Amino acid sequence: MVAGVGVDLENLWIRFGDFVAVRDANVNIKGGDFFSFLGPSGCGKTTILRAVSGFLEPSEGNVLIGGKNMKGVGPNKRPTALIFQNLALFPLMKVWENIAFSMEIKGASAAERRKRADELLEMIALEGQGDKLPSELSGGQRQRVAIARALCAEPHVLLLDEPLSALDLKLRQHMRTELREIQQRVGITFIYITHDQGEALTMSDNIAVMRAGVIDQIGEGKTIYNDPATPFAASFVGENNVFRGKVKRVSGDRVLVQSNRSGELLARISTANLGRLKEGDNAMIFIRPEAFELAKTGTEGDHYVSARVINEEFEGNVFNIFMEGDGGKEIKVSLPNLGQSFDSHKGQTMTLKYDVKNAVAMPAGVLATE
Amino acid sequence: MPRILKDFLSRNGTGPGLVMLGLVLFWTVGLIILPQLSMLDFSFRPNLPPPEMGGPKDVYTLENYKYLIYGPEGGSQAYNTVDLMVFFRTLVAAACVTVFNLIICYPIAYYLGQTKGNHIRVFALMLIIPYWINEILRAFALRIIFGETGVLNTIFTGIGLFDTPFDFIRNDYALYAGLGYAYILLMIFPIYNVIESLDHNQIEAARDLGAPWWRIHWRVVIPYAKPGISSGCTMVFMLSAGALAAPQILGGPSSLWFTQLIYQQFNDSSDWPQGAAYAVVLLVTCVLLVLAVMRLFKVNMGDIGK
């Protein structure tokens, strides 16, 4: 088995003419990590992947794999294997030939290749399917063949470019678990590109959130979800409600914000922004839909929000309430379905309570557009 | 009425459908099959003056075919070596032209097919526009390049590469260049068409898995482009073997192309049956050769149409 090696990006800039695709990226990915680059399309995450795989030379800065600078090393000489968004299986080769293609290059005999391909086919639960053509397999099976083909090259780093985006929802969720299992079994470094925060959160050890060529935040999924560093990270990863306003008072990591329409709100300043908010600043407070609970109507205070209910929906595991919010955006509240009865409050004003540690404040900035 | 015909008529309407069908039938049967059948018929008849046609002497005979193999009756040689040599040399030369054309055109087609950008359209135009000039003029242009006092010889003797001008024409270099040039588009475009539809990720995937460039072509691009390659090669081979203008203008005085023999028989000797027999032999041999090569490289007939 091959050990995973670390990948480091040092002051990485990638430009296409005047367009800056990646701006000064600095990332240290530990060996054996499942690391995701998460961001909307066009944010530069695929560009980073192409720079790591060697299909693209950085304009400035370095890509280090296992501590070695990869400058001038072609994609066929790097210890990486790339899984393409459309998989790019060779349509005219049989499944086993596809899987063992990297061994064919090294001059392995047909018997050796077949043996290794069969082992990998067993690992991906496709025993006996080696003599088929890729077109004879289902989408999920092809997906697994692509993984086997990449693993057969014994890479130290596996690069995955949104490999699940072409699959239907059920299969996608199943493949998340499977990918995570494969990664833990083979122990090599996985670098995963996705715009789907669910995928990033469920599979990754660490995530880099990207926006317009810039890495906004790097950290564990839990940290990014609970303690976002930027308004973009807060609004892109998971659902979030934003309250805008002006800072009234700061004390320690607590900040009191005079919000535009929900009165005074008390919040916790996110770790990355400690010391960066002062009186009179424009601030944003983010409170997740599931962080609210119902309070008695009319209760007031600095951790209560009152607003008129516009819409309600039952989603199964949660009951969603949409209330009039700031700047035309609705406040979404998700109450867990614990078997209690929900009365409709449509058109009425409701009061919600939140725990201050679940309200994250930071200087106002760009939100993720949906 | 067979189903396919019914579908065709219901899709296009009975009136227009019948007109289209009629035109296609007229084209294939009236303009291709019937004339060829009449040529085939000619090839089995003796060469008679018009009044004797249909007379008692007008019987089916293998005389014209025997002539190609054995030569004139009572001739000095046992076999018609001159014509047979011309025949085989034509086939071998046409095959060589095809192979050279493939070697030149594959990289061009690959570049055109896999590169993005507007300049590709300019390149394609630059390939097409020379074909607005008619074949004879293009052939003579090559004579100017390859002639004894032509461009190449002037340059090469000028820089001291040759002491005396090299006779490109007598040595058939001009002919091969002319034939290659004449059908370059017929080789490039079918290959370009196929390669254009090849997902570039497959090339990158192969490279990522460690393949050097030649193996990427050998294992990924060429297998994928096979239909285009075979369709290009078939056309170039058939047309080279059947070319007349280029050999006429660019061929050396001692080297005849088989089509020139056919032409002489039709035109100079007014021996249509003999010419028809030669033409039939050329056609049948070419078709058989192409089918054999297709079989060797496991190409299906359906692929050629792609």
Side-chain angles (χ1 to χ4, degrees):
Chain A
M1 191 150 94
V2 200
V5 299
V7 175
D8 301 298
L9 310 181
E10 293 178 346
N11 306 102
L12 192 75
W13 287 76
I14 297 167
R15 295 189 192 86
F16 299 109
D18 290 335
F19 176 72
V20 181
V22 176
R23 188 183 296 271
D24 199 21
N26 283 287
V27 185
N28 302 302
I29 301 168
K30 287 199 301 285
D33 224 15
F34 196 122
F35 192 96
S36 293
F37 284 93
L38 172 64
S41 58
C43 72
K45 53 193 193 299
T46 298
T47 310
I48 286 190
L49 199 75
R50 290 180 69 77
V52 175
S53 59
F55 286 110
L56 201 102
E57 274 295 319
S59 315
E60 261 176 64
N62 296 312
V63 174
L64 278 70
I65 299 177
K68 272 196 267 290
N69 196 330
M70 287 289 130
K71 191 160 271 174
V73 181
N76 48 347
K77 306 277 185 212
R78 295 195 183 193
T80 57
L82 177 59
I83 294 180
F84 290 81
Q85 191 164 5
N86 66 355
L87 308 182
L89 294 175
F90 306 125
L92 301 172
M93 292 184 206
K94 287 176 180 166
V95 165
W96 79 268
E97 290 176 299
N98 259 286
I99 292 177
F101 184 72
S102 55
M103 296 175 71
E104 186 186 320
I105 294 156
K106 290 174 197 145
S109 73
E112 278 175 88
R113 287 186 280 141
R114 184 73 213 224
K115 189 167 161 284
R116 180 80 182 117
D118 282 340
E119 282 168 22
L120 283 160
L121 278 166
E122 202 185 315
M123 187 194 96
I124 57 170
L126 283 177
E127 301 98 321
Q129 314 264 25
D131 284 315
K132 287 188 175 171
L133 287 172
S135 55
E136 294 170 298
L137 300 180
S138 72
Q141 290 173 328
R142 278 205 289 273
Q143 184 74 58
R144 300 209 290 266
V145 171
I147 295 168
R149 182 177 72 174
L151 290 178
C152 188
E154 306 204 316
H156 298 278
V157 180
L158 191 66
L159 309 167
L160 303 100
D161 186 8
E162 308 216 21
L164 304 186
S165 56
L167 303 180
D168 60 56
L169 183 70
K170 265 255 150 49
L171 199 53
R172 202 153 64 214
Q173 279 166 345
H174 172 72
M175 285 305 295
R176 281 182 197 174
T177 327
E178 198 153 326
L179 269 179
R180 183 73 188 153
E181 272 173 23
I182 289 173
Q183 194 261 340
Q184 272 158 2
R185 210 174 320 153
V186 296
I188 61 173
T189 315
F190 272 41
I191 300 181
Y192 193 91
I193 296 295
T194 183
H195 65 272
D196 180 333
Q197 36 110 4
E199 280 178 16
L201 289 173
T202 47
M203 293 191 284
S204 327
D205 296 312
N206 283 292
I207 300 172
V209 180
M210 282 192 81
R211 170 183 61 92
V214 179
I215 295 175
D216 264 24
Q217 187 174 10
I218 301 175
E220 284 180 31
K222 239 181 285 170
T223 313
I224 289 173
Y225 193 82
N226 293 333
D227 193 17
T230 63
F232 178 82
S235 52
F236 189 75
V237 182
E239 286 181 294
N240 230 331
N241 296 301
V242 58
F243 299 87
R244 294 161 218 257
K246 281 215 175 345
V247 174
K248 242 184 132 178
R249 196 168 61 243
V250 181
S251 76
D253 69 342
R254 293 295 141 112
V255 59
L256 189 67
V257 173
Q258 177 64 51
S259 75
N260 292 348
R261 63 178 292 162
S262 304
E264 289 179 358
L265 297 175
L266 189 63
R268 171 178 67 83
I269 302 175
S270 80
T271 313
N273 295 296
L274 279 171
R276 295 185 56 207
L277 277 176
K278 57 181 193 306
E279 227 180 287
D281 281 358
N282 286 322
M284 282 179 169
I285 294 176
F286 293 92
I287 308 173
R288 301 242 176 230
E290 68 272 17
F292 287 110
E293 52 183 303
L294 289 180
K296 255 198 230 99
T297 313
T299 331
E300 279 183 39
D302 54 14
H303 53 288
Y304 290 90
V305 174
S306 293
R308 205 167 62 88
V309 176
I310 304 166
N311 214 346
E312 295 168 322
E313 69 182 22
F314 177 66
E315 212 190 305
N317 57 336
V318 289
F319 192 77
N320 296 319
I321 304 170
F322 298 92
M323 304 163 86
E324 268 177 358
D326 182 0
K329 279 202 79 178
E330 296 166 354
I331 302 169
K332 184 180 178 186
V333 178
S334 297
L335 301 170
N337 178 7
L338 306 169
Q340 75 274 44
S341 61
F342 290 108
D343 297 327
S344 175
H345 293 278
K346 218 166 177 172
Q348 299 168 16
T349 297
M350 273 178 85
T351 304
L352 301 163
K353 194 174 84 176
Y354 62 84
D355 191 336
V356 177
K357 72 173 194 308
N358 293 329
V360 185
M362 60 193 73
V366 185
L367 297 176
T369 47
E370 277 155 288
Chain B
M1 197 158 46
R3 204 197 144 88
I4 186 163
L5 193 63
K6 213 182 246 168
D7 283 351
F8 179 77
L9 288 181
S10 69
R11 196 157 357 106
N12 298 292
T14 315
L18 281 176
V19 170
M20 273 196 273
L21 215 59
L23 285 173
V24 171
L25 277 180
F26 172 70
W27 181 51
T28 48
V29 177
L31 297 180
I32 300 173
I33 296 178
L34 286 181
Q36 292 302 322
L37 282 178
S38 117
M39 275 294 144
L40 190 67
D41 182 63
F42 259 121
S43 75
F44 287 107
R45 290 178 188 275
N47 189 26
L48 298 170
E52 287 184 39
M53 280 187 190
K57 281 190 183 170
D58 199 353
V59 286
Y60 283 116
T61 167
L62 288 173
E63 216 42 57
N64 301 312
Y65 290 92
K66 278 191 190 150
Y67 183 89
L68 171 62
I69 300 170
Y70 302 110
E73 245 167 283
S76 54
Q77 281 172 312
Y79 293 99
N80 189 353
T81 35
V82 176
D83 288 7
L84 283 175
M85 277 300 288
V86 171
F87 178 63
F88 288 115
R89 227 196 35 232
T90 302
L91 291 180
V92 171
C96 290
V97 166
T98 309
V99 172
F100 280 127
N101 238 346
L102 176 61
I103 292 170
I104 296 167
C105 294
Y106 174 81
I108 300 174
Y110 176 77
Y111 177 77
L112 289 178
Q114 283 291 314
T115 316
K116 298 200 167 46
N118 276 332
H119 65 289
I120 292 304
R121 256 181 252 167
V122 178
F123 283 2
L125 268 183
M126 279 161 59
L127 283 168
I128 293 167
I129 287 174
Y131 288 82
W132 293 358
I133 301 162
N134 71 55
E135 198 186 348
I136 307 219
L137 272 183
R138 269 185 285 134
F140 274 109
L142 283 179
R143 263 195 100 102
I144 295 171
I145 296 172
F146 285 107
E148 204 152 343
T149 54
V151 179
L152 277 184
N153 272 321
T154 314
I155 293 173
F156 286 146
T157 48
I159 61 172
L161 204 63
F162 301 154
D163 297 333
T164 51
F166 182 76
D167 196 341
F168 289 104
I169 291 182
R170 190 175 294 273
N171 289 293
D172 284 338
Y173 287 103
L175 172 59
Y176 297 148
L179 282 174
Y181 178 46
Y183 306 117
I184 217 162
L185 281 189
L186 295 172
M187 186 65 95
I188 289 180
F189 279 107
I191 304 178
Y192 161 75
N193 247 337
V194 184
I195 289 185
E196 202 195 12
S197 69
L198 172 64
D199 173 17
H200 193 70
N201 282 353
Q202 295 206 2
I203 294 164
E204 292 201 338
R207 198 151 154 246
D208 188 60
L209 291 166
W213 65 269
W214 58 268
R215 197 185 280 271
I216 295 175
H217 282 279
W218 185 244
R219 287 291 275 147
V220 179
V221 187
I222 292 176
Y224 187 85
K226 207 161 78 174
I229 292 174
S230 39
S231 131
C233 286
T234 313
M235 280 198 278
V236 170
F237 176 74
M238 290 289 196
L239 288 171
S240 302
L244 184 61
Q248 200 89 289
I249 297 163
L250 294 167
S254 63
S255 62
L256 277 175
W257 209 248
F258 197 63
T259 46
Q260 287 172 284
L261 292 183
I262 299 173
Y263 178 78
Q264 281 170 6
Q265 273 144 359
F266 272 104
N267 210 47
D268 304 347
S269 343
S270 295
D271 191 346
W272 278 45
Q274 190 60 62
Y278 273 34
V280 167
V281 169
L282 182 65
L283 174 69
V284 171
T285 317
C286 283
V287 169
L288 288 178
L289 263 177
V290 165
L291 289 177
V293 173
M294 274 168 62
R295 180 139 222 197
L296 186 68
F297 288 101
K298 299 195 180 81
V299 182
N300 298 321
M301 206 41 153
D303 291 341
I304 298 279
K306 277 185 186 167

